Amino acid sequence: MTAAATVIPGTDVWGAGESRKSAASGELTDFGDFVRASLPGLLRYGHALTGNPHDAADLVQTVLEKIGSRWSYVQHKTGDPMAYIRRSMANAHISRWRRTKRESLVADLPDVQPYSPADPFEHEPLWQALRALPPRQRAVMVLRYYEGLSEAEIADSLGVSQGTVKSQASKAIASLRTKLALFEPKDEGREAG
């Protein structure tokens, strides 16, 4: 079985013989069930963090591979596996970003012009401004406004204090306002009145 099968819904990679749900708590006890239930949200979160769906799928797969081998620990010791996974994704993305920031990787040979379908959000000002934010600020904005989490939930997910969440959100909003102001059309024909 390939590593790609770990994030494909419908495959039972882990815990084939385990009970599906805990009768007392109602939580997902099987890692495969957890992945099937939460994969779409994790992929959306990863897409917002990384800026493209391919890197998002890689990020989710990498984190879920690490979590899968320690699922019982994560489930019983952390209290909120989803927050733990989101924090792991944010940390893995920041680590990857720091590592690849110094490298200059090329996907194709320079002579070849590969076809890549146009991203519908490529020229969207908000998406461009969000993509330009530092990883932690982007994670806070995505969790707050895309996932709808509270400041306390974001702090738990990222492993930071609520004050850090507030300051990162404030800096991100200020940066977004500045960047989006550059995209606003100028009304030169308007008269003051």
Side-chain angles (χ1 to χ4, degrees):
M1 183 175 291
T2 64
T6 60
V7 294
I8 298 173
T11 59
D12 193 13
V13 179
W14 288 279
E18 295 177 18
S19 65
R20 297 292 182 198
K21 295 203 180 225
S22 169
S25 66
E27 295 177 357
L28 295 171
T29 58
D30 180 51
F31 184 67
D33 288 341
F34 176 81
V35 169
R36 277 186 288 283
S38 59
L39 184 61
L42 292 175
L43 287 172
R44 284 191 308 270
Y45 175 58
H47 185 203
L49 278 178
T50 62
N52 74 57
H54 304 293
D55 288 341
D58 289 345
L59 179 65
V60 170
Q61 180 174 333
T62 301
V63 170
L64 289 179
E65 284 177 348
K66 291 178 183 177
I67 300 292
S69 63
R70 303 180 343 217
W71 178 243
S72 60
Y73 168 79
V74 170
Q75 188 177 22
H76 297 296
K77 299 293 183 185
T78 63
D80 186 4
M82 185 58 86
Y84 185 84
I85 290 172
R86 282 190 187 122
R87 182 178 339 143
S88 297
M89 286 176 64
N91 290 341
H93 175 63
I94 291 169
S95 296
R96 182 183 297 168
W97 177 74
R98 285 180 180 156
R99 222 179 15 254
T100 59
K101 186 173 151 181
R102 294 183 204 104
E103 299 174 1
S104 178
L105 301 177
V106 291
D108 297 316
L109 297 173
D111 299 334
V112 178
Q113 293 294 329
Y115 170 75
S116 59
D119 184 359
F121 298 112
E122 184 65 31
H123 301 292
E124 181 69 31
L126 180 60
W127 186 250
Q128 290 175 348
L130 184 65
R131 197 178 334 180
L133 290 175
R136 183 174 282 173
Q137 288 179 15
R138 186 182 323 154
V140 168
M141 297 306 290
V142 168
L143 288 173
R144 180 68 182 114
Y145 297 104
Y146 191 75
E147 293 289 327
L149 299 181
S150 68
E151 289 175 351
E153 291 170 327
I154 296 170
D156 287 342
S157 291
L158 297 179
V160 297
S161 69
Q162 286 188 26
T164 301
V165 170
K166 289 178 184 179
S167 70
Q168 292 295 304
S170 175
K171 289 176 185 176
I173 288 171
S175 178
L176 288 173
R177 281 184 183 143
T178 302
K179 290 175 180 162
L180 291 175
L182 299 174
F183 290 105
E184 288 183 7
K186 306 272 191 260
D187 291 335
E188 294 176 8
R190 238 189 221 186
E191 294 181 23

